Amino acid sequence: MPRLSTATLDLATPALERLRYDREKAGIGVVHFGPGAFHRAHQAFYMDEALALGGDWAICAAALRSTDVRDALTPQDNLYILAELERTTRYRTIGAIKQTLAGAGDRPALLNRLADPATRIVTMTVTEKGYCLKGDGTLDFDHPDIVRDVAAPQNPVSLIGHLVEGLRRRFAAGTLPFTPIACDNLVDNGVKLGRAVAALAARQDAALARWIEQEVAFPCTMVDSITPATDDALRQRVAAETGLEDAWPIQRERFTQWVIEDKFCNERPDFAAIGVTLTQDVGAFDRAKLRILNGPHSTLAYLGSLIGHETVADAMGDAVLAGFLRRLIMEDILPTVKGAAGFDLNRYAEDILARFGNPGIRHLLSQIAWDGSAKLPFRLFGTVTDRLAAGAPVDRLALPVAAWMHFIRRKAQDGTKLTDPLADALLTAAGHLSSDATRDVALFLAFEQVFPPALRDNDVFRAALIRAYQLLGQGSKEQVHHALQTI
Ligand code: CS2
């Protein structure tokens, strides 16, 4: 079977939707950091739509460490197939990525791209941990990569370091800055990014830091599309349906949403024409999404994993767990969310529950369970804090947090890999767990990178965590179901 490439594209079956623009003529105007599945399902899809309207909005996709994406896509001229999974699957050719760079070897080429005046937008999906932030959202100057970039700023290793060096070269050359656009699930992502970039710049050049603060726009965004990791089943389906072999196709639900704060410091595509929402109030969108989608996602990941479910759809097929999730969303989370004007939060929540139950999507709970120490603060702790401030109960909200603790305990017991930036420390702590709920909860609450003092020292939240942890017992299916029906 021919492999997907520019030369073989015309051999594909009619099932594969072709490019709607002359890719050869499309110049690179975007650099993206973190070309994982979500980028290729979301921003690259939108840039493909932008290219169909004209303009040089092709992407140079850069991975700071892994060479996997570059090695997979280069033989395919950086083409890949996007499968939109609903009742029927739609197969689309995505050609927006025209260059893939990876690792230290490609750093000079990447820095040249960042300095190139043709680069007007820099997007990033590096996951929460990729920003090297502390629990309070500021740059962590003790992070090894940041320590390294302070010492050698013109040969950076971190995302923040690359942005600073790219902007420094533009500042020195009198070139307009690019607009850095954070596309990760952080609250106020653009604000945090801008502060981190200016803080690192200030370590080398106060004038550069001032220029960044005055001239560079860091719009906040909200991004949404459920994008399960690629598996061999998808590769086989794509080959069978399109007649072409794609080493790394991408799958996602049909639903996508991109909300960007309408502030840019350089040219941009006609985002509104390709379905992007431009607004001054991203906060209403990103808090709603983080609290009503991502918090419940993590809830399903930890409680569902303890029960033994494999996917989100499996977990939603568990009436006891699905019933708990509905109560959590409707009674504990929605009261803390203020939607944008005219935004029907109940409808939004119902749509998310329906999306979770999509039988066409095999979204692994184990994937969502990654990086809990970096995700939970954005997804659940803001809601807990608001409920405590309102004097409202937090017992149901405490259950997924306690389940995360049991999830780590089980990883330590089983000796299986825990994917988390704090994995070593969490597993070490888990080795000292005693099944005394008060002691065990205190061990986890001691992680200052995860639990802010206001929560760590809150007696109501601590008591709710202890009760939830106790109710989960040893985390058996029966005990988890009992807890779900009791709390
Ligand atoms: C998921 C998110 O893996 C996870 O943590 O909760 O990737 C989720 O699928 C996206 O935010 C949906 O837009």
Side-chain angles (χ1 to χ4, degrees), residues 38 128 185 222-228 253 289 293-295 297-298 355 363-364 367-370 375 379:
F38 186 76
E128 296 85 343
N185 290 319
M222 184 277 272
V223 294
D224 190 4
S225 188
I226 291 175
T227 305
E253 63 178 334
K289 191 256 181 174
L293 186 149
N294 293 111
H297 242 184
S298 294
R355 290 166 62 193
H363 199 180
L364 296 176
Q367 176 190 345
I368 300 169
W370 291 345
K375 290 179 178 179
R379 299 177 172 207

Side-chain angles (χ1 to χ4, degrees), residues 39-62:
H39 166 64
R40 282 181 276 142
H42 188 272
Q43 301 93 41
F45 154 77
Y46 279 102
M47 286 308 171
D48 217 64
E49 295 287 289
L51 287 164
L53 297 179
D56 295 322
W57 299 111
I59 300 167
C60 165

Side-chain angles (χ1 to χ4, degrees), residues 406-423:
H406 276 279
F407 174 81
I408 291 166
R409 174 182 180 171
R410 183 172 292 183
K411 287 285 184 184
Q413 287 168 345
D414 301 347
T416 48
K417 179 175 169 50
L418 173 66
T419 300
D420 191 287
L422 300 179

